[in-house]
Every structure is written in structure tokens, then in C-alpha cells.
Amino acid sequence: MNAGIIAFTEKAYRLGERIKAQWIDNDKDNPPDIELIAKTKALPELMDRRETMDIIAAWFREKDAILFLSATGIAVRCIAPYLKHKSVDPAVLVMDEDARFCISLLSGHLGGANALAAKIAGWTKSTPVITTATDEEGMFSVDLFAKENHLIITDFTKAKEISAKVLRGEKLRIVTEISQESLKKLPGADEAEYVERDQAAQADILISERRDAETAGLLLIPVRICIGIGSRKGVSEEAVRYAVEECLSAYNLREAAVEVMASIDLKKSEPGILAFSYRSGIPFVTYTAEELAAVDGSFSESSFVRSVTGVANVCERAAARAAGKSGRKIAAKTIYGDVTISLWAKE
């Protein structure tokens, strides 16, 4: 979590210090990076001299969450020029300097502002203010369902239609092509029922990573595919892209379903792989030979690969390592010119 707190009075700044300390203490296993800024002449030694709008512009690019310790009007005027869409906007919250109310102002579900407002309210003994209709009624929220289960919403217009259906009291039909047991249950889960795959065309929600998946409802893409990749030294970005696209196409998988690419640490600075990772937005991780060798399973082996890397198979073991112990193999090692690819799915 990368967050910003901005305070406009001395009292608000001291509140910000307490919230920052509590926030870090609450998440010791994965401590957040929190920037606390004072915008008040009452604290000349701490006051940030940048223009407020410049700070907020930078924060909208960099932060996951922004907390204004101010009047709501100040927050609204500051964020208005930078609003894009709830799929990309950070969580924005507002709290008064007396810590009476913590308001979820923007990106309540996808950005996590609703959950964060509840947390901060708990730390400060304030009242969380959450106005999202489905939350107010304790109903199923497709935004939150997608966020909690690492699903990509492909059509926000259809997502709004689903929320409207829930608010009308109608039951949702969900078809999932991944394990139903792997999906988290959320408030309002009783308002949705899972139906058989042959009803996908008429489903309200279809969870699928297939390229040819079709539904009249909303398609949610599970982000769970792990690509294991090996290559010759100096491989081009074009060669990597070709190999990835060909392999995904062969198994009818969408690129949007890919969570990560993985390889051995010898490849951590390979320009072609890094360039593809950057342009595609797919994170690239690497493991040591010892970590790959410790992965349980049956994999193809190459004495040449062992002589170069210290482990007899890179791409399959890297994909399996990224997918975790419950992962499932989709594609064994496949050679595409100077690149080898293996596909695994998290379960």
C-alpha cells in the first residue's frame, strides 16, 4: 500500500501522525509506505511548499490511497481535475480534524476506500461514512466481488446493470469456469447462485479466461495464469511477445488472465523479457536455481540447461513456483524459437 495523508491545520497534522503510526503498526507484515504532508502556516518547519494541486496530481499517479484531513469541499476541489474512472482512480477518503467522521469519497470498492474508511474509523473511534448503495443495504457488490477474487471487470456498464438488478431484489446467476470453492464469499452472497456452464450464454456473470467465452451478461476474467519463461541470451522483445501470444492462443487463454511471468534469476536483466513485461504490464519475477530445484513435481529435463543454469528445467519449474503448491499445469515446456514457455494456473 502506497498512501498519502494531507493535513490543512496543525490539529489535523497531529491526527495524521497518529493515523500513520496506527496504520503502520496494524500492517506489520506488509507495512504501508505513507507520506504525511502539512499544508498549514501553523507548522512552518513542516509545511510542504509545493502547490497543493501539484501534490494531488502526483499522488493520483503514484498512490493507492489518499486521506484528506480537511473539509470535504477542499478534497472535492483538489481531486476534481484528476478523476478518470473507478477502475484506475485511487481510494480517496476525508476525515475532519476532530476525527468524528471518516468518509469514503472515491473508489469505494475497486480502490478499497470503503474498507479503509472502516479501518481508520476503528483506529480513531470515528464514524465511517459509506454511501455505496449495495454496502448500505448489505448486498452483493460485483465491484467488491471482482476485487477480492482478482477478477477483471470487462464492461462497467454491465456491472452497473448488475448492481441495479441486485438493488431491485433479483437473484443473480453466475457461471464460473474456475473452482467455485476458490472464490471468496462476500456479504450478500445469498443474492447470487452458481448455475451450470451450459447456461453461460444467459448468465448475469460469467467467470472465464477463455478467449472465445461468450455471455449476454458480464464477463469477469480471473487473473491467475503464471507464465514460466526461458530464453537464449539476448532474446528480442518481439521473440518473447510471439512466444507468449502463440502459447496463450494455443490454449485459448486471454493475455488479461496472466498474473505474472517467471524465470530464473539469471534472466532478471534480460532486455527482451523486461521490455515485454513493461509494455504488456505483466509483472516479471525470478527465482534462484535452488528455489526452482526445490519445486515438487515431474518436469522435463535438459542436461544443457542444467550446465548453464544449475537446474535442469527453468520454464516449467518457474511457472509451478509462481502458481504455488495448489497450482495446476496447463502447458508443459513448449519451444518457440529462442523462447520456451510453460503455463500454470493458480487454484
Side-chain angles (χ1 to χ4, degrees), residues 85-146:
H85 191 273
K86 64 180 180 179
S87 62
V88 295
D89 291 335
V92 178
L93 302 93
V94 184
M95 174 176 268
D96 60 288
E97 66 175 20
D98 292 316
R100 293 174 298 175
F101 302 100
C102 186
I103 303 170
S104 171
L105 188 64
L106 185 72
S107 292
H109 286 144
L110 293 182
N114 290 355
L116 187 53
K119 278 187 178 181
I120 294 175
W123 301 333
T124 57
K125 295 181 172 56
S126 61
T127 301
V129 179
I130 297 170
T131 58
T132 313
T134 50
D135 287 70
E136 287 292 291
E137 300 295 332
M139 292 180 169
F140 177 88
S141 163
V142 68
D143 289 5
L144 188 58
F145 179 73

Coordinates of all heavy atoms in Angstrom, one line a residue, residues 85-146:
H85 N -11.6 7.2 -13.8 CA -12.5 6.1 -13.8 C -12.3 5.3 -12.5 O -11.1 5.2 -12.1 CB -12.4 5.2 -15.0 CG -13.6 4.2 -15.2 ND1 -13.6 3.0 -14.6 CD2 -14.8 4.3 -15.8 CE1 -14.7 2.3 -14.8 NE2 -15.4 3.1 -15.6
K86 N -13.3 4.7 -12.0 CA -13.1 4.0 -10.7 C -12.2 2.8 -10.9 O -11.7 2.2 -9.9 CB -14.5 3.5 -10.2 CG -15.2 2.5 -11.0 CD -16.6 2.2 -10.4 CE -17.4 1.2 -11.2 NZ -18.6 0.8 -10.5
S87 N -12.0 2.3 -12.1 CA -11.0 1.2 -12.3 C -9.6 1.6 -12.1 O -8.7 0.8 -12.0 CB -11.2 0.6 -13.7 OG -11.0 1.6 -14.7
V88 N -9.3 2.9 -12.2 CA -7.9 3.4 -12.1 C -7.7 4.4 -11.0 O -6.6 4.7 -10.5 CB -7.4 4.0 -13.4 CG1 -7.3 2.9 -14.5 CG2 -8.3 5.1 -13.9
D89 N -8.7 5.1 -10.6 CA -8.6 6.2 -9.5 C -8.2 5.6 -8.2 O -8.7 4.5 -7.8 CB -9.9 6.9 -9.3 CG -10.2 7.8 -10.6 OD1 -9.3 8.2 -11.3 OD2 -11.4 8.1 -10.7
P90 N -7.4 6.3 -7.4 CA -7.0 5.7 -6.1 C -8.2 5.9 -5.1 O -9.2 6.6 -5.4 CB -5.9 6.7 -5.7 CG -6.1 8.0 -6.4 CD -6.7 7.6 -7.7
A91 N -8.1 5.2 -4.0 CA -9.1 5.4 -2.9 C -8.9 6.8 -2.4 O -7.7 7.2 -2.1 CB -8.9 4.4 -1.9
V92 N -10.0 7.5 -2.2 CA -9.9 8.9 -1.6 C -10.8 8.9 -0.4 O -12.0 8.6 -0.5 CB -10.2 10.0 -2.6 CG1 -10.2 11.4 -1.9 CG2 -9.3 10.0 -3.8
L93 N -10.3 9.4 0.7 CA -11.1 9.5 2.0 C -10.9 10.9 2.6 O -9.9 11.6 2.3 CB -10.6 8.5 3.0 CG -10.7 7.0 2.6 CD1 -9.3 6.6 2.0 CD2 -11.1 6.1 3.7
V94 N -11.9 11.3 3.4 CA -11.9 12.6 4.0 C -12.2 12.4 5.5 O -13.2 11.6 5.8 CB -12.9 13.6 3.4 CG1 -12.7 14.9 4.1 CG2 -12.7 13.7 1.9
M95 N -11.4 13.0 6.4 CA -11.7 13.0 7.8 C -11.6 14.4 8.4 O -10.7 15.1 8.0 CB -10.8 12.0 8.5 CG -11.0 12.0 10.1 SD -10.0 10.8 10.9 CE -11.1 9.4 10.9
D96 N -12.5 14.8 9.3 CA -12.4 16.1 9.9 C -11.3 16.0 11.0 O -11.0 15.0 11.5 CB -13.8 16.5 10.5 CG -14.2 15.4 11.6 OD1 -14.6 14.3 11.2 OD2 -14.2 15.8 12.8
E97 N -10.8 17.2 11.3 CA -9.7 17.2 12.3 C -10.0 16.8 13.7 O -9.1 16.4 14.5 CB -9.1 18.7 12.3 CG -10.1 19.7 12.9 CD -9.4 21.1 13.1 OE1 -8.4 21.3 12.4 OE2 -10.0 21.8 13.9
D98 N -11.3 16.7 14.0 CA -11.7 16.2 15.3 C -12.0 14.7 15.3 O -12.4 14.1 16.3 CB -13.0 16.9 15.8 CG -12.7 18.4 16.1 OD1 -11.7 18.7 16.7 OD2 -13.5 19.2 15.7
A99 N -11.7 14.1 14.1 CA -11.9 12.6 14.0 C -13.3 12.2 14.4 O -13.5 11.1 15.0 CB -10.9 11.9 14.8
R100 N -14.3 12.9 13.9 CA -15.7 12.5 14.1 C -16.2 11.5 13.0 O -16.9 10.6 13.3 CB -16.6 13.7 14.2 CG -16.4 14.6 15.5 CD -17.2 15.8 15.4 NE -16.8 16.6 14.2 CZ -17.5 17.8 13.9 NH1 -18.5 18.2 14.6 NH2 -17.1 18.4 12.8
F101 N -15.8 11.8 11.8 CA -16.3 11.1 10.7 C -15.1 10.7 9.7 O -14.2 11.6 9.5 CB -17.4 11.8 9.9 CG -18.6 12.2 10.7 CD1 -18.7 13.5 11.2 CD2 -19.5 11.3 11.0 CE1 -19.8 13.9 12.0 CE2 -20.6 11.7 11.8 CZ -20.7 13.0 12.3
C102 N -15.2 9.5 9.1 CA -14.2 9.1 8.1 C -15.0 8.8 6.9 O -15.8 7.8 6.9 CB -13.4 8.0 8.5 SG -12.0 7.6 7.4
I103 N -14.9 9.6 5.8 CA -15.8 9.5 4.7 C -15.1 8.8 3.5 O -14.0 9.2 3.1 CB -16.2 10.9 4.2 CG1 -17.0 11.6 5.3 CG2 -17.2 10.7 2.9 CD1 -17.2 13.1 5.0
S104 N -15.7 7.7 3.0 CA -15.2 7.1 1.7 C -15.7 7.9 0.6 O -16.9 7.9 0.3 CB -15.7 5.6 1.7 OG -15.4 5.1 0.4
L105 N -14.8 8.7 -0.1 CA -15.3 9.6 -1.1 C -15.2 9.1 -2.5 O -16.0 9.4 -3.3 CB -14.4 10.9 -0.9 CG -14.8 12.1 -1.8 CD1 -16.2 12.6 -1.3 CD2 -13.8 13.2 -1.6
L106 N -14.2 8.3 -2.8 CA -13.9 7.9 -4.2 C -13.3 6.5 -4.2 O -12.5 6.1 -3.3 CB -13.0 8.8 -4.8 CG -12.7 8.6 -6.3 CD1 -13.9 9.0 -7.2 CD2 -11.5 9.5 -6.8
S107 N -13.7 5.7 -5.2 CA -13.2 4.3 -5.4 C -13.5 3.4 -4.1 O -12.5 2.8 -3.6 CB -11.7 4.3 -5.7 OG -11.5 4.9 -7.0
G108 N -14.7 3.4 -3.7 CA -15.1 2.7 -2.5 C -14.8 1.2 -2.6 O -14.3 0.6 -1.7
H109 N -15.1 0.6 -3.8 CA -14.9 -0.9 -3.9 C -13.6 -1.2 -4.5 O -12.7 -1.8 -3.9 CB -16.1 -1.5 -4.7 CG -17.4 -1.6 -4.0 ND1 -18.6 -1.4 -4.6 CD2 -17.6 -1.8 -2.7 CE1 -19.5 -1.5 -3.7 NE2 -19.0 -1.8 -2.5
L110 N -13.4 -0.8 -5.8 CA -12.2 -1.2 -6.5 C -10.9 -0.6 -5.9 O -9.9 -1.2 -5.9 CB -12.3 -0.9 -8.0 CG -13.4 -1.6 -8.8 CD1 -13.4 -1.2 -10.2 CD2 -13.1 -3.1 -8.7
G111 N -11.1 0.6 -5.4 CA -9.9 1.2 -4.8 C -9.7 0.9 -3.3 O -8.7 1.1 -2.7
G112 N -10.8 0.3 -2.7 CA -10.7 -0.1 -1.3 C -11.0 1.0 -0.3 O -10.7 0.8 0.9
A113 N -11.6 2.1 -0.8 CA -11.9 3.2 0.1 C -12.9 2.8 1.2 O -12.7 3.3 2.4 CB -12.4 4.4 -0.6
N114 N -13.9 2.0 0.9 CA -14.9 1.7 1.9 C -14.2 0.9 3.0 O -14.4 1.1 4.2 CB -16.0 0.8 1.3 CG -16.9 1.6 0.3 OD1 -16.7 2.8 0.2 ND2 -17.8 1.0 -0.3
A115 N -13.4 -0.1 2.7 CA -12.8 -1.0 3.7 C -11.8 -0.1 4.5 O -11.7 -0.3 5.7 CB -12.1 -2.1 3.0
L116 N -11.1 0.8 3.8 CA -10.1 1.6 4.5 C -10.8 2.6 5.5 O -10.3 2.8 6.6 CB -9.2 2.3 3.5 CG -8.0 3.1 4.0 CD1 -7.1 2.3 4.9 CD2 -7.2 3.7 2.9
A117 N -11.9 3.1 5.1 CA -12.6 4.0 5.9 C -13.1 3.3 7.2 O -13.0 3.9 8.3 CB -13.9 4.6 5.2
A118 N -13.5 2.1 7.1 CA -13.9 1.3 8.3 C -12.7 1.1 9.2 O -12.8 1.2 10.4 CB -14.5 0.0 7.8
K119 N -11.5 0.8 8.6 CA -10.3 0.6 9.4 C -9.9 1.8 10.1 O -9.7 1.8 11.4 CB -9.1 0.1 8.5 CG -9.1 -1.3 8.1 CD -7.8 -1.6 7.3 CE -7.7 -3.1 7.0 NZ -6.5 -3.4 6.3
I120 N -9.8 2.9 9.4 CA -9.4 4.2 10.0 C -10.4 4.6 11.1 O -10.0 5.1 12.2 CB -9.2 5.3 9.0 CG1 -8.0 4.9 8.0 CG2 -8.9 6.6 9.6 CD1 -7.8 5.8 6.9
A121 N -11.6 4.4 10.8 CA -12.7 4.8 11.8 C -12.5 3.9 13.1 O -12.6 4.4 14.2 CB -14.1 4.5 11.2
G122 N -12.1 2.7 12.9 CA -11.9 1.8 14.1 C -10.7 2.3 14.9 O -10.7 2.3 16.1
W123 N -9.6 2.7 14.2 CA -8.4 3.2 14.9 C -8.7 4.5 15.7 O -8.1 4.7 16.7 CB -7.3 3.5 13.9 CG -6.9 2.3 13.2 CD1 -7.0 1.0 13.5 CD2 -6.3 2.3 11.9 NE1 -6.5 0.1 12.5 CE2 -6.1 0.9 11.5 CE3 -5.9 3.3 11.0 CZ2 -5.5 0.5 10.3 CZ3 -5.3 2.9 9.8 CH2 -5.1 1.5 9.4
T124 N -9.5 5.4 15.1 CA -9.7 6.7 15.7 C -11.1 6.8 16.4 O -11.4 7.9 16.9 CB -9.7 7.7 14.5 OG1 -10.7 7.4 13.6 CG2 -8.4 7.8 13.9
K125 N -11.8 5.7 16.5 CA -13.1 5.7 17.2 C -14.1 6.8 16.6 O -14.8 7.5 17.2 CB -13.0 6.0 18.7 CG -12.2 4.9 19.4 CD -12.1 5.1 20.9 CE -11.6 3.9 21.6 NZ -10.3 3.4 21.1
S126 N -14.0 6.9 15.2 CA -14.9 7.8 14.5 C -16.0 7.0 13.8 O -16.0 5.8 13.9 CB -14.1 8.6 13.5 OG -13.5 7.8 12.5
T127 N -16.8 7.7 13.1 CA -17.9 7.0 12.4 C -17.6 6.9 10.9 O -17.4 7.9 10.3 CB -19.2 7.8 12.6 OG1 -19.6 7.9 13.9 CG2 -20.4 7.2 11.8
P128 N -17.5 5.7 10.4 CA -17.3 5.6 8.9 C -18.5 6.0 8.1 O -19.7 5.7 8.5 CB -17.0 4.1 8.7 CG -17.7 3.4 9.9 CD -17.7 4.4 11.0
V129 N -18.3 6.8 7.1 CA -19.4 7.2 6.2 C -19.3 6.6 4.9 O -18.4 6.9 4.1 CB -19.5 8.7 6.1 CG1 -20.6 9.2 5.2 CG2 -19.6 9.4 7.5
I130 N -20.1 5.6 4.6 CA -20.0 4.8 3.3 C -21.4 4.9 2.6 O -22.4 4.5 3.2 CB -19.7 3.4 3.6 CG1 -18.3 3.3 4.2 CG2 -19.7 2.5 2.3 CD1 -17.9 2.0 4.8
T131 N -21.4 5.5 1.4 CA -22.7 5.7 0.8 C -23.0 4.8 -0.4 O -24.0 5.0 -1.1 CB -22.7 7.2 0.3 OG1 -21.6 7.4 -0.6 CG2 -22.6 8.2 1.5
T132 N -22.1 3.9 -0.7 CA -22.3 2.9 -1.8 C -23.6 2.2 -1.5 O -23.8 1.6 -0.4 CB -21.2 1.9 -1.9 OG1 -20.0 2.7 -1.9 CG2 -21.3 1.2 -3.2
A133 N -24.5 2.1 -2.5 CA -25.9 1.6 -2.3 C -25.8 0.1 -1.8 O -26.5 -0.2 -0.8 CB -26.7 1.7 -3.5
T134 N -25.1 -0.7 -2.5 CA -25.0 -2.1 -2.1 C -24.4 -2.3 -0.7 O -24.9 -3.2 0.0 CB -24.3 -3.0 -3.1 OG1 -23.0 -2.3 -3.3 CG2 -25.0 -3.1 -4.4
D135 N -23.5 -1.5 -0.3 CA -22.9 -1.6 1.0 C -24.0 -1.1 2.1 O -24.1 -1.8 3.1 CB -21.7 -0.7 1.2 CG -20.5 -1.2 0.4 OD1 -20.5 -1.3 -0.8 OD2 -19.6 -1.7 1.1
E136 N -24.7 -0.1 1.8 CA -25.7 0.4 2.7 C -26.7 -0.6 3.0 O -27.3 -0.7 4.1 CB -26.4 1.7 2.1 CG -25.5 2.9 2.1 CD -25.2 3.4 3.6 OE1 -26.1 3.9 4.2 OE2 -24.1 3.2 4.0
E137 N -27.1 -1.4 2.0 CA -28.1 -2.5 2.1 C -27.5 -3.8 2.5 O -28.3 -4.8 2.6 CB -28.9 -2.6 0.8 CG -29.6 -1.3 0.4 CD -30.7 -0.8 1.4 OE1 -31.2 -1.7 2.0 OE2 -30.9 0.4 1.5
G138 N -26.2 -3.9 2.6 CA -25.5 -5.2 2.9 C -25.7 -6.2 1.7 O -25.8 -7.4 2.0
M139 N -25.7 -5.7 0.5 CA -26.0 -6.6 -0.7 C -24.7 -6.9 -1.4 O -23.6 -6.4 -1.2 CB -27.0 -5.8 -1.6 CG -28.3 -5.6 -1.0 SD -29.4 -4.8 -2.2 CE -31.0 -5.0 -1.4
F140 N -24.9 -7.9 -2.3 CA -23.8 -8.3 -3.2 C -23.3 -7.2 -4.1 O -24.1 -6.5 -4.7 CB -24.3 -9.5 -4.1 CG -23.3 -10.0 -5.0 CD1 -22.4 -11.0 -4.7 CD2 -23.2 -9.5 -6.3 CE1 -21.4 -11.5 -5.6 CE2 -22.2 -9.9 -7.2 CZ -21.4 -10.9 -6.9
S141 N -22.0 -7.0 -4.1 CA -21.4 -5.9 -4.9 C -20.4 -6.6 -5.9 O -19.5 -7.3 -5.5 CB -20.6 -4.9 -4.1 OG -19.7 -4.2 -4.9
V142 N -20.7 -6.4 -7.2 CA -19.9 -7.1 -8.2 C -18.5 -6.4 -8.2 O -17.5 -7.1 -8.5 CB -20.5 -7.0 -9.6 CG1 -20.6 -5.5 -10.1 CG2 -19.8 -7.8 -10.6
D143 N -18.4 -5.1 -7.9 CA -17.1 -4.5 -7.8 C -16.2 -5.1 -6.7 O -15.0 -5.5 -7.0 CB -17.2 -3.0 -7.5 CG -17.8 -2.2 -8.6 OD1 -18.1 -2.8 -9.7 OD2 -17.9 -0.9 -8.5
L144 N -16.8 -5.3 -5.6 CA -16.0 -5.9 -4.5 C -15.7 -7.4 -4.7 O -14.7 -7.9 -4.4 CB -16.8 -5.7 -3.2 CG -16.1 -6.1 -1.9 CD1 -14.8 -5.3 -1.7 CD2 -17.0 -5.9 -0.7
F145 N -16.7 -8.1 -5.3 CA -16.5 -9.5 -5.6 C -15.3 -9.6 -6.6 O -14.5 -10.5 -6.4 CB -17.8 -10.0 -6.3 CG -17.7 -11.4 -6.7 CD1 -17.8 -12.5 -5.8 CD2 -17.7 -11.8 -8.1 CE1 -17.7 -13.8 -6.2 CE2 -17.6 -13.1 -8.5 CZ -17.6 -14.1 -7.5
A146 N -15.3 -8.8 -7.6 CA -14.2 -8.8 -8.5 C -12.8 -8.5 -7.9 O -11.8 -9.2 -8.1 CB -14.4 -7.9 -9.7

